Amino acid sequence: MNKQFLAEIEKGSKNALIKKKIINHYIYNGNSTITDLSKEIDLSVPTVTKLIGEMCEEGFINDYGKLETSGGRHPNLYGLNPGSGYFIGVDIKQFAVNIGLINFKGDMVELKMNIPYIFENTIESLNKLCQLILNFIKKSPIDKEKILNINMNISGRVNPESGYSYSIFYFEERPLAEILSEKLSYKVTIDNDTRAMTYGEYMVGGVNSEKDIIFVNISWGLGIGIIIDGKVYTGKSGFSGEFGHVSTYDNEIICHCGKKGCLETEASGLAMHRMLIERIKGGASSILSELVLKEENLTLDDIIAAVIKEDMLCIDIVEEVGQKLGKQIAGLINIFNP
Ligand SMILES: [Zn+2]
């Protein structure tokens, strides 16, 4: 029945679109009475009553019983049925994958963090990722038929509307979302990782109902997510927020995008990583010297842990990168007034 409803929405039938609006309303505002809902979505009480009745039968909406009011009438409260559908979110890191399963109300049902995985921009790496997702689904405690969508967070240039990823996993002239849907046998959508994080913070994070937000994601790379008046700003082709690739420096460091002098070459986790290795190999000392000289895997967590232990070299590097980043963020504030 769920799949039939999704198909209706895709066809764009008028009732399905109103039902989508009702679901959206409940996601953002929680349970409400039919009278309040009618006012909020600007439709007549009889229309909303009819649609809510249908949605209860379809299983998406629950009747949560009488609302306790001081007045004489006690209207019923309606809201989303948490078990009517599930969504999976996949977040790809350099050395791990995080996978979460949420119910129809957005509550986390299952979360597996730091599943070992080495990201490489190859078909083998993509297949391995699919295998990890399928394993996660296999072990999840829910009815697999009720998984409505899997969203994957991808770094770089991603068009969430067309499903194309241009920076990574771009092996054939077809949307990555379509390829993944085939491989996983579920509907798959993709979005830029920073944008998805921005939306997550906006929905459940610490933004205190602010509606104009710049979210700065500094890990290996550097990107921003932009929310303007409560809406995620994707840009015309979905490429907004590539802050790390603004040409900023007159250096000779080649960025992974292929250009020289990108902001990311001097203000990102990758930059800190490179600077630390260069300086240790150039004779500077740090508690990470041994790790670096033995050419073992150095993670950003190692660098931050060293800062906490008051390692002077790591403190200097983080400070230097912080100064550069701060200057550029000040520029963003002038442009966006977030
Ligand atoms: Zn670049």
Short mmCIF file of all heavy atoms in Angstrom, two decimals, residues 242-247 253-265, ligand 1:
data_model
loop_
_atom_site.label_atom_id
_atom_site.label_comp_id
_atom_site.label_asym_id
_atom_site.label_seq_id
_atom_site.Cartn_x
_atom_site.Cartn_y
_atom_site.Cartn_z
N GLU A 242 30.24 24.77 -2.48
CA GLU A 242 31.61 24.26 -2.69
C GLU A 242 32.63 25.33 -2.26
O GLU A 242 33.50 25.74 -3.03
CB GLU A 242 31.80 23.85 -4.15
CG GLU A 242 31.01 22.62 -4.55
CD GLU A 242 31.50 21.36 -3.85
OE1 GLU A 242 32.70 21.05 -3.89
OE2 GLU A 242 30.66 20.66 -3.24
N PHE A 243 32.51 25.73 -1.01
CA PHE A 243 33.32 26.78 -0.41
C PHE A 243 34.81 26.45 -0.47
O PHE A 243 35.64 27.33 -0.70
CB PHE A 243 32.85 26.91 1.05
CG PHE A 243 33.47 27.99 1.85
CD1 PHE A 243 33.62 29.27 1.33
CD2 PHE A 243 33.88 27.75 3.16
CE1 PHE A 243 34.17 30.28 2.10
CE2 PHE A 243 34.42 28.75 3.92
CZ PHE A 243 34.58 30.02 3.39
N GLY A 244 35.15 25.19 -0.29
CA GLY A 244 36.55 24.77 -0.27
C GLY A 244 37.26 24.98 -1.60
O GLY A 244 38.48 24.98 -1.66
N HIS A 245 36.50 25.15 -2.66
CA HIS A 245 37.13 25.28 -3.98
C HIS A 245 37.12 26.70 -4.51
O HIS A 245 37.32 26.94 -5.70
CB HIS A 245 36.50 24.29 -4.97
CG HIS A 245 36.65 22.88 -4.50
ND1 HIS A 245 37.86 22.25 -4.44
CD2 HIS A 245 35.75 22.02 -3.97
CE1 HIS A 245 37.71 21.04 -3.91
NE2 HIS A 245 36.44 20.88 -3.62
N VAL A 246 36.91 27.65 -3.59
CA VAL A 246 37.07 29.05 -3.98
C VAL A 246 38.57 29.30 -4.12
O VAL A 246 39.35 28.94 -3.25
CB VAL A 246 36.49 29.99 -2.89
CG1 VAL A 246 36.80 31.44 -3.22
CG2 VAL A 246 35.01 29.76 -2.73
N SER A 247 38.95 29.89 -5.25
CA SER A 247 40.37 30.16 -5.48
C SER A 247 40.81 31.28 -4.54
O SER A 247 40.34 32.39 -4.62
CB SER A 247 40.56 30.58 -6.94
OG SER A 247 41.88 30.95 -7.13
N ILE A 253 49.85 24.25 -4.63
CA ILE A 253 49.30 22.97 -4.16
C ILE A 253 48.10 22.61 -5.03
O ILE A 253 47.14 23.38 -5.15
CB ILE A 253 48.88 23.09 -2.68
CG1 ILE A 253 50.07 23.55 -1.84
CG2 ILE A 253 48.33 21.74 -2.18
CD1 ILE A 253 49.69 24.04 -0.46
N ILE A 254 48.16 21.43 -5.63
CA ILE A 254 47.06 21.00 -6.50
C ILE A 254 45.97 20.34 -5.65
O ILE A 254 46.21 19.39 -4.93
CB ILE A 254 47.56 20.07 -7.61
CG1 ILE A 254 48.53 20.85 -8.51
CG2 ILE A 254 46.39 19.54 -8.44
CD1 ILE A 254 49.20 20.02 -9.57
N CYS A 255 44.79 20.90 -5.75
CA CYS A 255 43.62 20.41 -5.01
C CYS A 255 43.11 19.13 -5.70
O CYS A 255 43.38 18.91 -6.88
CB CYS A 255 42.57 21.50 -5.05
SG CYS A 255 41.07 21.13 -4.17
N HIS A 256 42.33 18.33 -4.97
CA HIS A 256 41.80 17.12 -5.61
C HIS A 256 40.81 17.44 -6.72
O HIS A 256 40.45 16.58 -7.52
CB HIS A 256 41.21 16.15 -4.57
CG HIS A 256 40.06 16.74 -3.81
ND1 HIS A 256 38.77 16.66 -4.26
CD2 HIS A 256 40.02 17.45 -2.66
CE1 HIS A 256 37.98 17.28 -3.41
NE2 HIS A 256 38.72 17.77 -2.42
N CYS A 257 40.35 18.71 -6.80
CA CYS A 257 39.47 19.11 -7.90
C CYS A 257 40.26 19.38 -9.17
O CYS A 257 39.69 19.60 -10.22
CB CYS A 257 38.63 20.33 -7.51
SG CYS A 257 39.59 21.86 -7.47
N GLY A 258 41.60 19.39 -9.03
CA GLY A 258 42.45 19.57 -10.20
C GLY A 258 43.02 20.97 -10.34
O GLY A 258 43.88 21.21 -11.18
N LYS A 259 42.51 21.92 -9.52
CA LYS A 259 43.00 23.30 -9.65
C LYS A 259 44.00 23.62 -8.53
O LYS A 259 44.08 22.92 -7.53
CB LYS A 259 41.82 24.26 -9.59
CG LYS A 259 40.90 24.10 -10.78
CD LYS A 259 39.93 25.27 -10.88
CE LYS A 259 39.08 25.11 -12.13
NZ LYS A 259 37.66 25.24 -11.83
N LYS A 260 44.72 24.71 -8.71
CA LYS A 260 45.70 25.15 -7.70
C LYS A 260 45.08 26.25 -6.84
O LYS A 260 44.27 27.04 -7.32
CB LYS A 260 46.92 25.74 -8.40
CG LYS A 260 47.90 24.73 -8.92
CD LYS A 260 49.09 25.48 -9.53
CE LYS A 260 49.90 24.59 -10.45
NZ LYS A 260 50.84 25.38 -11.24
N GLY A 261 45.53 26.29 -5.57
CA GLY A 261 45.21 27.44 -4.73
C GLY A 261 43.81 27.49 -4.14
O GLY A 261 43.39 28.52 -3.62
N CYS A 262 43.07 26.39 -4.20
CA CYS A 262 41.75 26.37 -3.58
C CYS A 262 41.87 26.61 -2.07
O CYS A 262 42.86 26.20 -1.45
CB CYS A 262 41.08 25.01 -3.77
SG CYS A 262 40.58 24.68 -5.45
N LEU A 263 40.85 27.21 -1.48
CA LEU A 263 40.81 27.45 -0.03
C LEU A 263 41.12 26.15 0.74
O LEU A 263 41.84 26.14 1.73
CB LEU A 263 39.43 28.00 0.35
CG LEU A 263 39.16 28.25 1.83
CD1 LEU A 263 40.19 29.18 2.44
CD2 LEU A 263 37.76 28.79 2.03
N GLU A 264 40.55 25.06 0.24
CA GLU A 264 40.72 23.75 0.87
C GLU A 264 42.18 23.30 0.97
O GLU A 264 42.53 22.51 1.83
CB GLU A 264 39.90 22.74 0.06
CG GLU A 264 39.57 21.48 0.78
CD GLU A 264 38.52 20.66 0.02
OE1 GLU A 264 37.39 21.15 -0.18
OE2 GLU A 264 38.84 19.54 -0.38
N THR A 265 43.04 23.83 0.07
CA THR A 265 44.44 23.40 0.11
C THR A 265 45.16 23.93 1.34
O THR A 265 46.21 23.44 1.72
CB THR A 265 45.24 23.85 -1.15
OG1 THR A 265 45.24 25.28 -1.21
CG2 THR A 265 44.64 23.27 -2.42
ZN ZN B 1 39.62 22.56 -5.32
#
